[in-house]
Amino acid sequence: MNVYDSARMADLLASQGYAETRRQEDADLVILNTCHIREKAADKVYSELGKLAAMKHARSAAGRDMQIVVAGCVAQAEGVEALRRQRAVDLVVGPQSYHRLPELLARTARGERLTDTEFAVEDKFQFLPQPTPQQIRARGVSAFVTVQEGCDKFCSFCVVPYTRGAEVSRQVAQVVAETEGLAAAGVREITVIGQNVNAYRGEAPDGRKWPLERLLERLSHIGGVERLRYTTSHPIDMSQGLIDAHGALPQLMPFVHLPAQSGSDRVLKAMNRRHGASAYLDRVARLRKARPDIALSSDFIVGFPGETDADFEATLSLIREVGFAAAFSFKYSPRPGTPGAERSDQIDEQAKRERLRALQELIEAQRQAFNAAAIGRAFDVLFEKAGRHPGQIAGKSPYMQAVHVTGDVELIGAVAKVTIVAAGANSLAGRLAGGAAKERRH
Ligand code: SAH
Ligand code: SF4
């Protein structure tokens, strides 16, 4: 979501005459769009701000200004504290206020230092300009569209409900218009995103609230949209309707990111996840019934307060039972203001480290096995960019695997059949089947 928000900020500022630069030293304005999900992220922001402060002073000695903005969830959580802790910061702007950047920057240009961390009453999306076809093309053939923000679930480890606010869904017409603009400019894959994307309940032109599967079905009719994905889903919102869509919508890719966090019922309860391990396994079984080749990825937290060796074993056993194509995993990080952080039974760092290593070893073995199983199979690949070596192009399989082949850059933006010939550590090597490639182009 931060990638999406950063792009929206860049679009908004482009309309104010700003252009993006890759080198921080050259910038009149630097925005750090930040994440607050784990502690390290906030520490990184302050260390990055220290470096920027030095750059700002060097520029100011040369008679040039550099404005420094902290955006995103660290901005939301820290507020004026960020202004206090780092004198070089000009503006702190939260994730629900960044549409006001032009007016806020006009004030910082006059020497004010300020924060805006309101949860705007107005809908920020109404104030964000549509990107131009050039801006869209520069970002490639796969794009994110935010359809839902915020969270009402209050898992006991998580800051999201505090930094992103309550669950809000964008209207169907807005999402359709944004997607049409992207597709018309050449985007072929849309990933609809939300903190709880499958809790989507967007107001539709028929006056009803549509669930995610209806939105996806509507988007599948937009010319040029070859592939649809969605992320991130909560297991309790994985409705049968959405599961069935995986069997019914050819554009909906057979890959679902479904965070489990833990395989222990006791820990899941303490996390306030509102489901146990068997409910998670039941969602997986139903997804596989609807779409037998579906691949799954997940998020896991190790070392939540009170987690015993037996609880951790239950997580490994859930992982073994499901068999994931990939997963993200984290050591529990206590977040101030969340119930988990208040608990007296915190797990020591060494146990967390050992559990994380064991879990990642298992996931890595599953990922390698999943990739190795692709050898000899033929997949549709959406080509996204030139490959690392001359004459190579790179894209993604339906299961989110990176695939590279020898082929013409003309194929970028096209879906073509590829036979997988080898599996490396992080990508698959394939051979174009020929012929089929051009037919599917739009
Ligand atoms: N809404 C999604 C998750 C969003 S946060 C869901 O409910 O699944 C992304 C991931 O960060 C989470 O799935 C979790 O695994 C991890 N995470 C969140 N808070 C964390 C914390 N305090 N410590 C460690 N990992 C955390
Ligand atoms: Fe955080 Fe996800 Fe739980 Fe919401 S559902 S509180 S975003 S982990």
Side-chain angles (χ1 to χ4, degrees), residues 120-273:
V121 227
E122 71 266 42
D123 177 2
K124 81 173 169 230
F125 295 103
Q126 308 273 8
F127 293 86
L128 294 170
Q130 280 271 8
T132 64
Q134 290 81 348
Q135 285 169 328
I136 295 168
R137 274 193 281 275
R139 296 193 183 115
V141 299
S142 179
F144 292 129
V145 175
T146 291
V147 303
Q148 181 277 334
E149 274 200 65
C151 181
D152 298 337
K153 304 259 187 321
F154 291 91
C155 299
S156 60
F157 52 81
C158 185
V159 289
V160 168
Y162 310 95
T163 55
R164 287 269 172 176
E167 273 176 19
V168 177
S169 296
R170 286 179 78 187
Q171 290 177 9
V172 170
Q174 265 194 24
V175 175
V176 168
E178 188 168 326
T179 305
E180 282 173 345
L182 292 168
V187 169
R188 294 292 165 259
E189 176 175 83
I190 299 286
T191 303
V192 300
I193 56 175
Q195 268 88 29
N196 269 296
V197 75
N198 57 346
Y200 179 83
R201 303 281 294 156
E203 203 179 302
D206 64 7
R208 303 194 178 192
K209 300 250 176 177
W210 283 12
L212 185 62
E213 60 271 20
R214 278 207 72 182
L215 179 74
L216 290 168
E217 198 269 339
R218 173 67 187 83
L219 299 182
S220 75
H221 296 297
I222 296 173
V225 175
E226 300 251 8
R227 290 183 163 190
L228 289 167
R229 302 180 184 276
Y230 60 92
T231 204
T232 291
S233 295
H234 192 295
I236 60 169
D237 292 318
M238 198 41 109
S239 68
Q240 191 58 43
L242 181 56
I243 291 170
D244 290 341
H246 281 278
L249 274 184
Q251 291 89 344
L252 189 54
M253 289 293 101
F255 181 96
V256 173
H257 181 65
L258 194 62
Q261 314 300 357
S262 169
S264 153
D265 288 342
R266 217 176 59 81
V267 171
L268 286 166
K269 190 156 197 288
M271 286 176 164
N272 192 30
R273 287 293 284 183

Side-chain angles (χ1 to χ4, degrees), residues 17 114 116 122 180 192 199 208 280 283 291 385 395 427:
L114 57 141
D116 185 345
E122 71 266 42
E180 282 173 345
V192 300
R208 303 194 178 192
Y280 185 87
R283 305 301 185 272
R291 180 81 202 233
K385 56 186 182 194
S427 72

Side-chain angles (χ1 to χ4, degrees), residues 35 37-46 331 333 335:
C35 175
I37 200 84
R38 283 168 296 276
E39 199 171 4
K40 265 206 208 124
D43 294 345
K44 270 204 316 222
V45 173
Y46 282 109
K331 287 185 281 190
S333 168
R335 309 308 291 123

Side-chain angles (χ1 to χ4, degrees), residues 328-343:
F328 300 107
S329 47
F330 315 99
K331 287 185 281 190
Y332 170 68
S333 168
R335 309 308 291 123
T338 62
E342 308 291 311
R343 290 181 54 150

